[in-house]
Amino acid sequence: MLGDLIGEIQSTDSGRRVLATTDGLHPVIEVSFEATGQVLGVPVTEFASYESQLRTDGSLFGEGQGVGMSEKGETYSWHGSGIGHFTGPGGAMKWRGVIYFESPAESFAKLNDVVGLFEYDTDGSGKGASKVYEWK
């Protein structure tokens, strides 16, 4: 069951590249992005990257990781994975998946005990928006 909203971010791609494939058939694309928003009500900036691989049915499987920081310098990290689908030209996509957090900071301590479910949508121009909900 979906629980409380943990956070919302707005992102901008800062880089894209195609990586060597393990099977020579399914391209792997790495995307790096920078984001701003809020996590647990705290304003944050994030830096992250994810790799996605095109699957035979046209969907994508992706895994990523990131680091977030509050204005006071408190940090958290995350690791997530999900399934993506193209939704429009230029690489517009929607992603749905799971995300795990870790933080030494008191303001982000709740993240250590949370499994998050995320929605991440991109518009094809490098802009994206994500919402993360607690999985209860």
Side-chain angles (χ1 to χ4, degrees):
M1 175 169 84
L2 284 183
D4 296 332
L5 180 68
I6 294 171
E8 289 185 80
I9 64 164
Q10 293 74 46
S11 64
T12 302
D13 289 357
S14 55
R16 295 181 193 184
R17 67 183 185 145
V18 178
L19 305 175
T21 63
T22 56
D23 64 5
L25 299 173
H26 299 96
V28 176
I29 300 168
E30 179 184 63
V31 176
S32 297
F33 64 87
E34 299 178 17
T36 58
Q38 62 83 22
V39 172
L40 298 176
V42 177
V44 297
T45 300
E46 278 191 8
F47 302 95
S49 63
Y50 64 90
E51 293 180 5
S52 59
Q53 186 166 28
L54 188 62
R55 302 185 328 168
T56 55
D57 67 357
S59 66
L60 301 153
F61 174 77
E63 291 188 285
Q65 53 279 320
V67 174
M69 182 179 293
S70 73
E71 294 170 347
K72 294 179 181 178
E74 299 167 306
T75 63
Y76 60 89
S77 60
W78 61 262
H79 183 92
S81 60
I83 300 295
H85 299 277
F86 289 105
T87 59
M93 293 180 272
K94 73 175 182 175
W95 289 90
R96 303 297 183 258
V98 64
I99 188 169
Y100 304 94
F101 296 92
E102 184 176 3
S103 179
E106 187 175 320
S107 62
F108 297 122
K110 178 181 178 177
L111 296 175
N112 294 319
D113 295 319
V114 168
V115 174
L117 297 175
F118 71 84
E119 302 172 341
Y120 179 54
D121 297 312
T122 65
D123 67 5
S125 74
K127 303 287 185 194
S130 179
K131 290 184 179 184
V132 180
Y133 298 89
E134 182 177 4
W135 185 8
K136 290 191 175 221

